[in-house]
Amino acid sequence: MAGAHGPSSDAADDEVTPETASTILPTESPTLVWVGLGAGLLAFEVGALATFLVAILSDTLAAASLPGVGFVEGIEAAARQLPTLLSRETVPNEGYWNGQRWVGTFLGLRPEVAWGIRVALVYLYALAVAGWAVLGYRLYRREYRAADWTPRDDVIDRFRNHGWGLFGLAVVFMFVVMAVFAPALGPTTVDKNMRNSYDNELTYWDAETDSVETILVGEANLASQSRGDGEERVGPMEYDDFGRFHPFGTLPTGRDLFTFIAVGSRISLVIGLLSVGLSVGVATSLALIGAYYKGRVDLGMVLVSDGVMAMPQLLLLIMLTTVLKDTWVAGLYSGAFLLALIFAFTGWTYMWRSLRGPALQVSERQWIDAAKSFGQRPRTIMRQHMLPYITGYLLIYGSMTLGGAIIAIAGLSFLGLGVSPPTPEWGRAVNLGQEYVDTGSWHISLIPGLLITLVVTGFNALGDGIRDAIDPRSDAAGSDADDGAAAGRGGGA
Amino acid sequence: MSDEPLLSVRDLEVVFHTERERIHAVDGVTFEIREGQTVGLVGESGSGKSVTARSILGLVDEPGRIEGGEILYRGEDLTEDNWADHRGDIAIVFQDPTNSLNPVYTIGNQIEEALRIHQDLRGRAATDRAIELLEDVGIPDAPRRVDEYPHQLSGGMAQRAVIAMALACDPDLLVCDEPTTALDVTIQAQILDLLAELQAEQDLAILFITHDMGVIEDATDWVNVIYAGEVVERAPTEALFDHPAHPYTRALLESIPGRTDPDERLPTIEGEVPTPTGPATDCRFAPRCPEAFEDCRSVAPEHVSLDGDRSAACLLHDPARSDGGERQ
Amino acid sequence: MTAREDPVVSVQSLKTYYHDDSIVGAKPPVRAVDGVDLDIREGETVGLVGESGSGKTTLGRTIIGLADATDGVVEADGQDVTEFDAEQARDWQRRVGMVFQDPEESLNDRMTIGEIVQEPLKAHDWPVLTVAVEGDATVRGSGVRPAEPDETVDLTVGLDGDVTVRDELPLSADAVTAAVDRSGDAPTVDVTVEKSRAEIRRDRAFDLLDRVGLSEQHFYRYPHQFSGGQRQRIGIARALALEPEFVVLDEPVSALDVSVQARIINLLEDLQDEMGLTYLFIAHDLSIVRHIADRVAVMYLGNVVELGPTESVYADPHHPYTVSLLSAIPGSGSPWTGERITLRGSPPNPRDPPAGCPFATRCPAKIRPDDYDLPERTWRALDELRVVFRTRARAEASAAETIKRLIGLDVAGQDLRETVSDLLADHDLPPAAQSTVDAAVELAAGGDDDAAAEQLREAFGSRCDREHPEPYDGGEDRTSQCLRQEAEYDGVAETIRARQEDEP
Amino acid sequence: MSRLRYIAKRVALSVPVVWLGTTMTWAIIYLGPIDPATRLLSEGQTQNPAAYEAARTQLGLDQPPLQHYFDWMGSLLTFDLGQTWLLYQGSDVNALILDFLPRTLWLGFWSVLIAVCIGVPLGFYAGMRSNTASDYVASMGGIVWRAMPNFWLGIMLLAVLGSSQAIFGFDWQSLWIELDALTGSPDLSRLHTVEGFLAATKKVLPAAIVLGSASMGNEMRIGRTAVLEVRNEDYVDLARAKGVSERALVWKHIFRNALIPLVPIITSEAFLLIGGSVLVETVFSINGIGLLFFNAATQGDLPLVGTLMYVFILLIVGVNLLQDVLYTVIDPRVGLEGA
């Protein structure tokens, strides 16, 4: 069907007129405006961004006692000085009741309201950034792209109509925003509430003495524990005796569960992204090479991957974390880096398994022969003619594997392996709350578990959505049989 | 031959609903088949011929729907409710024999299933009859083949097995939807021979659907030429090949290589087959027709009767509109 | 049609076998091409016809270098293509083109038409921009190099600074400046091309699209937006991008509707005239080959069984397979005037071709042994019987059967006797023949299908079953691989006609 | 014959897989950064060179690595697995495995059975009624069910069962057969009696449901798409055209074909089960081989870890072979098209 897609007018020759552009931005230089908007958005959060990046770097280096720690810390301090609009300093929620009013909170509002405003602002900001990116894409599509229609347009259109996929995207978006803005989202900070709780003080209104008192955070935590019913718990959306607001309640140690979870999401995301990135890299190159040369090369890969897969992944994880526990790599980012490496080492096989089918399928297509027929080089054929066809699958399986990785990391921390305390991890919260599930302190295990389920469902839904968008007919048993391997492993951990 | 046709399709309309549009895949197709007759339905890809075949057996899948017309089998209208009663009276053979047989059951099993339903044969009797049927369709060493799985047969053999399975239903009408397209030319010849033989022996009516004019010429008594969901010409086979009446038929015949002098350029039809997205308001062939005139773009042509029962849906033959009348 | 010029490509006793890659339990290789001789001469179109599995596509792919030859030679310009290393192969592929069967499959649908057509150009860093200078001058300049002897010259520079550009290059002479410096011993020419390679390539792509009947406005579109016929045009443009002299067309129109087919065939013929191309046209449709080819090669089971000028072959086929193929063309397109010849069964498995003539198992004009004088229909029944044994011998027994046989149950006997008696029901066999058949049946019933098949072959086989025929020269530039070409036998067509009369 | 040959080929190919897996295990444990001998010794003993040397000698670490590798592989091959070091000090590893493995197998058996019996029919049901409300409910349920972490689900299930009296009005622990506790190992010594069988089954039932949860979701999903695929095949249309009743169409023509893609899913669940057993056995305090492995790893009995890993590898390769056998039973095409 010739010209079935898109208008027949030729985008290459027609200059885009200001009129057509004005449907996106009512200005004559939409690109400039777009860049300006971007700069504005960046200015809001330049500090947070810098802190985020530097924080990860310094966390990585800190435990490893590598050179350059001091230098990085210097940068970190400098980064903290940068103005940030949506920080805890701008919209503070930690204050105290002095008998008449709230002191130290944003506009003197109650801590829960102040905290709520900050969370809302952060998500609004993230939405704005996302909107800005979408605007940029549409601008590019309208003004800079020579083709008036590309196959990717259809993919995006289909995805936009895929409710389940959009739900996944929304969940993933919320999760990523939570991970990126973790320090700004928590009612308190890890440093203050957990890591150095005995170095920090807190002012509160003592109802017994009717006066403002000061106490070490660590001691306050001891009095805010959730270990049972009634008095022994601080449940979700409750204040403790020290005027601190706990959106998700407290842990059995009296620490704030929301802060714990927010920061935990960051480590899950970092490990997930790193490990999936690494295994995607390995799996893709192997899949391409195996599919191009086939035969013995492919068979060799099958044997090696079968060999790795013959060791159940979680058991291999346990074995490797045990063996590598005392090495310097294990210190990097509270063990997260090592975990990511191990995940990649054990996970590439599943990813490769899932990609092998599609890669072999693409390698059988005639255009590969066509490219060979005019002497195109193997490397170019793999990159230009095969890779684009498996990137779709990469996204699908990547998304699903990320979900699986989150469960597996949680499973390891549940067992007391993996990410080392006190760095928060969701699975540890489940473990900590295990004893109290049938008491009033049920929230400790329940909330992180529900969140894991939600996030993993989100990643899987996103994968489903991408799959349906890439090829509406691909709901084939074969491809699903493959992804069972990639996606299913989450459940195993 | 009785007066009443075995099967008569009247104004059949099948519409496919996609997200963007409604595609009128079959748009008012009318034709009939008498007992023992072989009727051809010929057209290019996307002309709606396969959809017509599937509608006759009630096999149109979502998102397609039969939205109009009637399919009369021995005068009885086939609908959702009574198709089940006529299963087996009409049998079908699809294009791809390897997909037509269930891969996990033996050939014998699948033939016996039909025998059990339609001839109430079971056990040893059914197996013996299945072997006979396989021998009838020319499968050598049938006693052994009956226990083989579909993938153990070559394409030609598998198509024979499909035909045997169709015969097991004891049908009056066999719908052949491009039965030889996936096969090599020597195998195609075998299958055409086989069909002719079966028809002679069993007085079977055949609806033969294909894109290959040569096959039509060899295999059929009567032809319907279908273009963009509409039958544009109906004629006895020989008459059609001698004097095609519709410009499309004419162009189609001319563009087949081998019928013209190899040293000359092949005559061609410019443009593409349109996808019918709405009811016809003009002649759908007009944009590609070398003989189109003004009315062709505003009037949907009706079938005009020509000599010897044949008809064509073309304004050239409509005395009221065309000054030319019969053109050569 | 040009007479006896030097071949562009000369295929000599070429064999291409496909081996299984598996380490355990490897099967015999597929003999896709099994000893082919074929010369393709400059400017002609050779039609290569055959059924699926005959090896015609593999032959095309081997010539292009997409499949590895097992044995034999593909000679071009005095070099053997099958011996090329990777770089030489690339160089060879620069000079040949290939158009593929399925237009839905042969274009990468994530690339724009422009990218697709330019891809070969980019892969070979086209244009080379070779410069030839009148007289003995040194050439300098970025992006250009002096032309080697025997190389296509892109730019010719006169010592007065005049520049001529080869016609095929989308580059105007105005865009090239040549500064001649005579100060040294030999003059030095400084060539500057003001048009970038990318621009030249793009213009070349425009040019190619125009040649195949598309236009510049299609440059930024994707294959999805085109019909089958248009896609095939794009495939042709890509094959022609590097100005090949020789193009392999692998069933370029079989996936298209008749009306579209005709247009593509016309286009191919026009391009051949304009650019002086040589075609190897692979097809299964004999009518199309008749229309387009100067000479036709008929392939069966990896062998070219007949080769000759198209009209001559179609008018008077020498090989029984050619006769059968021609007679199988449906409708009035068939040049065969008699009754249609229907071949039995399907071609044998190319992993295990017959020992003698590859066509012997299905041949309607097979030479019969002198030992028996049987009517034709009895011979056919015997042939069929042999196929049954052969098939049984090659078939994999099912697990259940193997076990039954191991514990000594008679599995095949019952079936087999039934089949044999059905086959020979109304034939009168002479006692000697009958006892041979009975003995074979007993052998097979005992589980030794191979021996049974062998016994029948011994008894009822002829020269055709033992001897692989060599190509016989049939005059008029024709060859065919059939023993009936020998003077002692009757001709193919008359044998077939006589047998058809013999058996109503 | 071809099917037998196919299976023979698969068996042959599984040898290098076992070899690769065990070799990697050996390399991780004995070439890794940790000295297994040190891990075996208590704090005090590490200072004692004599004790350290003794441990090394007993582990065979005083030999050249290659020699040690061959010895180690040899002893695995002959199932000469020796004694444990720390865990259940000095007990025979073979006996230990024989003691622990059946409990894991019992748990695995029920979880596969439950997953298959619930997941597959539900998936087929959803596939036959695609795009209806019941399909959406079933599909959605499957996806969410699959996304729940095992260990968490186990904890939640235990909490619910623990207060089942309050929630459902009956007490799970005393329902039908009285259990001594919600968690703990099943008693497999009385399996031959009806009551013993039921008791052992009831004991692992919650754990089996949890362990099978992910598999159940997967099987449902794949079952659904498989049915959708098969429904559109030509041979189903042809069967309908020849008058096969809808019921026979579903059970004869669709069901068996839809099972084919499910085979690898069901067996790959076995991977998950073996891995997941560690978590579930921890939550439900079942003394299975997964828990044994975990304890060996955390307490530093690395030689035992290696040996157990070998057992797991054998289990997985065995399940893979089982999958191939299942394939040849269900799909007659297997073996002809090659692997």
Side-chain angles (χ1 to χ4, degrees), chain C residues 442-466:
Chain C
E442 285 320 306
L443 270 177
D448 200 348
D449 292 309
D450 253 325
E454 185 54 34
Q455 183 150 12
L456 286 186
R457 194 170 89 102
E458 287 293 322
F460 303 113
S462 66
R463 259 189 94 185
C464 293
D465 291 295
R466 289 186 291 272

Side-chain angles (χ1 to χ4, degrees), chain B residues 54 102 105 109-110 118, chain D residues 237 240 242 252-253 257:
Chain B
R54 298 182 80 94
N102 194 328
Y105 296 105
N109 181 320
Q110 297 182 55
H118 297 287
Chain D
D237 276 344
R240 185 173 283 134
K242 78 182 175 192
K252 181 175 173 183
H253 291 277
N257 281 292

Side-chain angles (χ1 to χ4, degrees), chain C residues 84-100:
Chain C
F84 281 166
D85 64 24
E87 273 314 302
Q88 285 173 312
R90 250 173 75 81
D91 203 46
W92 166 239
Q93 283 158 347
R94 200 197 135 108
R95 289 158 44 204
V96 294
M98 185 153 177
V99 177
F100 292 84

Side-chain angles (χ1 to χ4, degrees), chain C residues 216-227:
Chain C
E216 283 187 20
Q217 58 155 347
H218 295 123
F219 194 81
Y220 289 112
R221 301 240 179 112
Y222 284 83
H224 271 303
Q225 293 165 288
F226 295 88
S227 67

Side-chain angles (χ1 to χ4, degrees), chain C residues 25-259:
Chain C
K27 294 185 208 153
V30 174
R31 303 177 178 203
V33 175
D34 202 7
V36 163
D37 291 282
L38 181 65
D39 281 358
I40 300 162
R41 300 166 197 151
E42 197 175 335
E44 74 170 347
T45 301
V46 174
L48 191 60
V49 291
E51 294 176 278
S52 49
S54 61
K56 52 188 194 303
T57 296
T58 305
L59 177 57
R61 291 170 61 93
T62 313
I63 294 174
I64 293 283
L66 286 182
D68 288 329
T70 311
D71 195 20
V73 174
V74 175
E75 195 185 299
D77 287 346
Q79 284 177 300
D80 184 2
V81 172
T82 63
E83 301 286 319
F84 281 166
D85 64 24
E87 273 314 302
Q88 285 173 312
R90 250 173 75 81
D91 203 46
W92 166 239
Q93 283 158 347
R94 200 197 135 108
R95 289 158 44 204
V96 294
M98 185 153 177
V99 177
F100 292 84
Q101 172 175 4
D102 189 348
E104 299 291 316
E105 276 274 307
S106 59
L107 306 180
N108 183 346
D109 47 24
R110 307 280 166 97
M111 286 164 74
T112 62
I113 303 314
E115 286 165 348
I116 290 172
V117 175
Q118 286 182 82
E119 205 198 342
L121 304 176
K122 278 189 192 144
H124 288 278
D125 210 14
W126 189 94
V128 189
L129 296 181
T130 50
V131 180
V133 186
E134 285 173 14
D136 197 19
T138 323
V139 175
R140 281 197 316 214
S142 66
V144 298
R145 67 167 173 80
E148 311 273 333
D150 299 334
E151 202 180 20
T152 323
V153 175
D154 290 329
L155 309 170
T156 315
V157 182
L159 281 181
D160 50 356
D162 259 1
V163 180
T164 358
V165 182
R166 189 162 65 91
D167 282 348
E168 282 292 316
L169 272 188
L171 179 67
S172 99
D174 303 341
V176 183
T177 44
V180 184
D181 176 10
R182 293 166 194 276
S183 58
D185 295 341
T188 312
V189 181
D190 234 320
V191 181
T192 325
V193 179
E194 274 147 29
K195 197 170 170 182
S196 72
R197 270 157 202 270
E199 280 172 317
I200 298 176
R201 282 199 285 260
R202 198 196 56 197
D203 285 347
R204 168 81 180 150
F206 285 156
D207 195 35
L208 285 163
L209 288 180
D210 186 50
R211 286 216 167 169
V212 299
L214 297 169
S215 60
E216 283 187 20
Q217 58 155 347
H218 295 123
F219 194 81
Y220 289 112
R221 301 240 179 112
Y222 284 83
H224 271 303
Q225 293 165 288
F226 295 88
S227 67
Q230 287 173 312
R231 282 164 156 248
Q232 203 57 300
R233 286 168 195 269
I234 297 160
I236 293 169
R238 175 179 58 191
L240 297 180
L242 289 166
E243 306 168 56
E245 44 207 293
F246 172 59
V247 183
V248 173
L249 304 157
D250 184 10
E251 308 238 15
V253 296
S254 7
L256 305 175
D257 274 323
V258 200
S259 60

Side-chain angles (χ1 to χ4, degrees), chain A residues 14-35:
Chain A
D14 299 343
E15 282 298 309
V16 177
T17 55
E19 281 80 25
T20 44
S22 69
T23 52
I24 292 182
L25 286 174
T27 159
E28 284 187 21
S29 53
T31 312
L32 268 181
V33 173
W34 180 75
V35 171

Side-chain angles (χ1 to χ4, degrees), chain B residues 172-189:
Chain B
D172 294 325
L173 170 64
L174 187 61
V175 177
C176 297
D177 185 5
E178 305 249 15
T180 59
T181 306
L183 306 174
D184 276 317
V185 61
T186 59
I187 311 291
Q188 164 169 291

Side-chain angles (χ1 to χ4, degrees), chain D residues 140-286:
Chain D
M140 194 71 84
I143 290 168
V144 174
W145 192 239
R146 195 172 73 156
M148 284 191 273
N150 270 340
F151 55 93
W152 177 75
L153 190 61
I155 293 168
M156 292 301 139
L157 190 63
L158 276 181
V160 169
L161 289 181
S163 33
S164 54
Q165 189 73 56
I167 300 171
F168 304 112
F170 63 81
D171 181 34
W172 167 256
Q173 199 168 337
S174 59
L175 192 68
W176 299 314
I177 295 158
E178 183 76 31
L179 292 181
D180 47 352
L182 275 179
T183 59
S185 309
D187 178 8
L188 298 182
S189 61
R190 296 187 302 122
L191 276 188
H192 53 278
T193 67
V194 176
E195 201 203 344
F197 182 86
L198 290 178
T201 307
K202 185 180 167 186
K203 187 91 180 193
V204 295
L205 213 53
I209 290 175
V210 169
L211 190 50
S213 64
S215 327
M216 208 186 299
N218 277 346
E219 278 154 19
M220 217 204 84
R221 209 176 122 80
I222 309 299
R224 177 176 179 273
T225 43
V227 165
L228 279 177
E229 275 281 293
V230 176
R231 261 174 58 187
N232 289 326
E233 292 287 349
D234 269 357
Y235 56 79
V236 172
D237 276 344
L238 211 61
R240 185 173 283 134
K242 78 182 175 192
V244 175
S245 67
E246 283 299 315
R247 175 201 288 263
L249 206 62
V250 172
W251 290 109
K252 181 175 173 183
H253 291 277
I254 296 180
F255 186 79
R256 190 160 159 198
N257 281 292
L259 275 181
I260 295 171
L262 272 169
V263 169
I265 295 304
I266 295 175
T267 48
S268 77
E269 303 313 349
F271 288 38
L272 302 182
L273 297 185
I274 292 168
S277 64
V278 178
L279 287 159
V280 173
E281 285 171 10
T282 311
V283 173
F284 288 88
S285 334
I286 297 171

